[in-house]
Amino acid sequence: MTDTETSKTAVVTGAGSGIGRAVAVELLRAGWSVALAGRRAEPLEETAALVPGAASLTVRTDVARPEDVAALFAATAARFGRVDLLFNNAGTFGPGGVPVEDLSYEAWRHVVDTNLNGAFLCAQAAYRQMKEQDPQGGRIINNGSISAHTPRPHSAPYTATKHALTGLTKALSLDGRPYRIAVGQIDIGNAATEMTARMEAGALQADGRTVPEPVMDVADVARTVRHMAELPLEANVQFATVLATAMPYIGRG
């Protein structure tokens, strides 16, 4: 199957590690063409190498830079002809464990630029492509978090951006209706990645204790994203919550 014959094309941001890598691999193995985006080229190439012979494209991208995002979607359209899915995944937790009164503005701004501004820029570029392509339409899946519902201690930048991402998801979902653009959000809790490795050693709780937390296989997240992605555009998972069953979310603090 050539790139142009592949039925579906996805853009996955933050594809060099963690959830982004797992989702990209899941889609590639399912026959999708996938543009892998991230700030460093080498991890993207490592992700692509996990599925030899698949239709992948690596594009070094800082999602907080409008020119990088424009180049990403231009390269994807040039290579694959269209964009059927954006998995808006790139994000950062920022300086964990820093009380709000000690948080630098630079740290706050970095998290906002990546998690919120970056998500908007990618969604905007995807929206423009999906609106104009033939056949029209596509799907955007934003990676929220359990923190889109309830915070952890000392997580103001991350929590604020993830709450904002929920508003962005709702607004884009509404605005996309006339153009067959479906927009949903997956809120993930304690998938086993580099970002959550510290959870197993011990995470600060709302009552001040530091206790280990259970994690789940990131492959289970990837399968959930693929399910959302492969629905017909007439159906949409507006919000999905996927978490380690016993993590302290329901009833926490």
Side-chain angles (χ1 to χ4, degrees):
M1 181 178 288
T2 67
D3 292 354
T4 55
E5 292 171 340
T6 303
S7 59
K8 296 290 184 180
T9 296
V11 173
V12 177
T13 66
S17 64
I19 292 168
R21 172 174 284 180
V23 168
V25 167
E26 178 74 16
L27 293 174
L28 287 167
R29 287 175 176 165
W32 287 66
S33 300
V34 182
L36 310 169
R39 288 183 296 175
R40 295 182 296 135
E42 185 176 354
L44 298 177
E45 297 293 347
E46 292 171 356
T47 298
L50 293 173
V51 192
S56 62
L57 170 69
T58 62
V59 185
R60 195 212 63 79
T61 308
D62 182 344
V63 296
R65 296 172 59 88
E67 60 271 27
D68 280 17
V69 173
L72 165 64
F73 281 85
T76 304
R79 172 72 176 273
F80 299 121
R82 59 184 290 112
V83 174
D84 297 288
L85 171 70
L86 164 65
F87 182 45
N88 223 349
N89 167 73
T92 181
F93 190 81
V98 178
V100 66
E101 66 270 22
D102 297 328
L103 185 72
S104 72
Y105 175 72
E106 290 73 19
W108 167 271
R109 182 62 184 269
H110 174 66
V111 176
V112 172
D113 281 345
T114 303
N115 295 5
L116 181 56
N117 295 342
F120 165 73
L121 290 170
C122 290
Q124 183 184 55
Y127 191 100
R128 288 168 173 165
Q129 174 65 35
M130 293 170 179
K131 182 179 176 181
E132 298 302 324
Q133 63 195 9
D134 185 20
Q136 188 181 64
R139 189 180 306 275
I140 298 169
I141 301 174
N142 292 324
N143 185 353
S145 170
I146 295 300
S147 291
H149 302 271
T150 187
R152 289 186 177 277
H154 305 323
S155 66
Y158 186 78
T159 299
T161 56
K162 292 304 184 177
H163 274 66
L165 195 64
T166 298
L168 181 64
T169 296
K170 291 178 179 179
L172 292 172
S173 184
L174 179 60
D175 292 344
R177 286 178 183 174
Y179 311 107
R180 302 188 74 243
I181 300 172
V183 185
Q185 180 171 315
I186 183 167
D187 296 326
I188 301 164
N190 287 16
T193 67
E194 300 93 330
M195 190 174 178
T196 60
R198 61 187 177 84
M199 301 296 180
E200 293 182 273
L204 181 64
Q205 305 297 306
D207 63 4
R209 294 179 301 141
T210 298
V211 298
E213 293 188 12
V215 298
M216 63 176 169
D217 192 332
V218 71
D220 294 323
V221 175
R223 284 192 290 271
T224 304
V225 173
R226 179 184 166 195
H227 167 70
M228 295 169 69
E230 292 185 341
L231 288 172
L233 292 178
E234 291 73 24
N236 187 39
V237 176
Q238 188 66 71
F239 292 98
T241 302
V242 183
L243 71 165
T245 305
M247 72 170 287
Y249 165 53
I250 299 298
R252 87 180 185 194

